[in-house]
Structures are given as C-alpha cells and as structure tokens.
C-alpha cells in the first residue's frame, strides 16, 4: 500500500487526541440521568458512549445500568483514582475512550513516514495494525531484491510499533524476506 492508503487505514488513530487526566480534585466523571461527562478545571467533555469508560474503570455495562447515577459517579471516580493517572481519548470535543497514561515517547506519524521514506527508497507498506491502547504497528519492505546466493532473493524490511499518544516506547525490528520455494513462497527471518 502507498502512503495515502496507509494514512487512510490509520485515520481512527490520527483523528483522536490524548487528554491527560489526574483523577480527583477538579477532574471527575459525572453521571446524570441524561448524560455522562468528564469535567476538569477548564472544560467539560461529553461522553456519548460511556462503555469504554466503564470498561477501563473495571465496571461491566450490565452492572453500570443497574446503579443509580450518584452511585455510578462515585464508583467510577473511586476506581479511576486508584489508577492515579489515565488518558481520555478525545475526538472533536467528546470523550470516545480511555487509555493508559501518556508518558512514553509519542510518535508523530507524518515525521515517522518521512524518515522511513528517506531511509528506504521505494518503500512498500505491507501492513498497518491498530492495537489496543492506541498502539500502531507498521510493516514496511523495500522493493529492491538482492541475490544472496544463486536462487535466493532477499528483501529487507522493518516492523515499527509505536503510539501517537505515547502509551508505549517505539520499537523497531528488522527482518529479511527470503525465497523459500521455487513457486515464489517467501519466509521472513
């Protein structure tokens, strides 16, 4: 896939932004009969689907539906305070999820792609995976095939795992693609 296709696949991760939250004090989840919101000193973020918040706090949706708004508010905030810090995942002005605290090396996707493309001529993006907690894994392979010995063609590649939020430190692993059979099947090492 090319760069545009890759960015289209990564759109769900690129359309959201992290809002670090330190529970307690002015940062609270508030449940009323009409809505669920995250309030902090400056802003109130509506939570249209509170299921990810319940799940992150450790409350099943079935249990949450049977609690009064006041009890659910107290339970959510107490459970989230035990986590000390977390990240609200915000799309536009609404909370759409929760993630572990930001604190590792956040990766700018555009800058990462520029670095890959400057380093690997004619790069081919093989796979883009979106993993839990806003982690991304991109597999790239160079188009140049180099013979190692007669009949053995090798292409170099790399797998890059990172988080635009900084929920994990970036990891880069290289690999080689070898011709395993005369029918064109390949293997990675």
């Amino acid at each position: 896939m090319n760069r545009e296709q890759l960015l289209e696949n990564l759109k769900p991760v690129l359309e959201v932004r992290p809002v670090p939250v330190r529970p307690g004090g002015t940062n609270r989840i508030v449940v009323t009969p009409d809505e669920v919101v995250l309030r902090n000193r400056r802003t109130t973020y509506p939570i249209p689907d509170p299921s990810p918040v319940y799940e992150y706090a450790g409350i099943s949706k079935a249990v949450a539906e049977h609690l009064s708004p006041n009890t659910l508010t107290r339970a959510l905030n107490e459970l989230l305070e035990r986590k000390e810090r977390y990240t609200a995942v915000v799309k536009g002005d609404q909370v759409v999820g929760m993630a572990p605290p930001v604190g590792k090396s956040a990766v700018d996707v555009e800058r990462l792609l520029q670095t890959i493309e400057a380093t690997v001529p004619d790069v081919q993006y093989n796979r883009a995976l979106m993993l839990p907690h806003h982690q991304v894994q991109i597999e790239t392979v160079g188009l140049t095939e180099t013979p190692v010995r007669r009949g053995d063609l090798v292409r170099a590649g790399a797998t890059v795992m990172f988080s635009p939020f900084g929920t994990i430190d970036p990891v880069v692993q290289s690999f080689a693609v070898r011709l395993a059979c005369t029918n064109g099947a390949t293997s990675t090492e």
Side-chain angles (χ1 to χ4, degrees):
M1 81 182 87
N2 63 30
R3 172 192 269 264
E4 290 75 31
Q5 292 166 322
L6 177 68
L7 290 172
E8 184 65 30
N9 287 347
L10 297 179
K11 201 178 230 180
V13 173
L14 301 177
E15 289 179 336
V16 295
R17 64 185 165 79
V19 175
V21 179
R22 205 175 269 285
T26 59
N27 296 313
R28 299 187 51 75
I29 301 288
V30 179
V31 180
T32 67
D34 302 323
E35 66 180 351
V36 179
V37 297
L38 168 63
R39 288 193 181 136
N40 67 23
R41 272 183 240 131
R42 299 181 191 105
T43 312
T44 297
Y45 298 100
I47 307 173
D49 176 15
S51 301
V53 176
Y54 301 158
E55 183 181 322
Y56 189 76
I59 297 176
S60 74
K61 188 174 180 180
V63 169
E65 289 172 352
H66 287 47
L67 297 175
S68 71
N70 189 31
T71 303
L72 183 55
T73 295
R74 288 196 323 252
L76 281 171
N77 286 294
E78 183 175 331
L79 290 168
L80 291 171
E81 281 178 19
R82 292 180 183 178
K83 295 187 182 291
E84 296 181 24
R85 295 183 310 135
Y86 58 90
T87 301
V89 179
V90 176
K91 181 177 182 178
D93 67 343
Q94 299 180 337
V95 173
V96 295
M98 297 291 197
V102 174
K104 310 258 185 210
S105 301
V107 173
D108 179 330
V109 174
E110 187 62 36
R111 193 168 161 207
L112 172 67
L113 297 181
Q114 288 172 356
T115 302
I116 290 171
E117 291 161 2
T119 307
V120 182
D122 300 321
V123 68
Q124 176 183 348
Y125 298 102
N126 278 3
R127 181 177 20 206
L129 302 173
M130 287 177 286
L131 305 170
H133 305 299
H134 304 280
Q135 298 173 18
V136 177
Q137 181 175 324
I138 298 174
E139 184 180 284
T140 63
V141 178
L143 293 179
T144 307
E145 294 183 350
T146 309
V148 174
R149 59 180 179 235
R150 191 175 192 111
D152 188 15
L153 298 176
V154 176
R155 290 172 33 181
T159 299
V160 182
M161 192 156 76
F162 64 95
S163 169
F165 280 25
T167 57
I168 62 165
D169 282 325
V171 176
V172 179
Q173 293 178 317
S174 62
F175 60 88
V177 179
R178 294 191 181 273
L179 190 61
C181 182
T182 56
N183 71 1
T186 58
S187 65
T188 57
E189 304 178 348

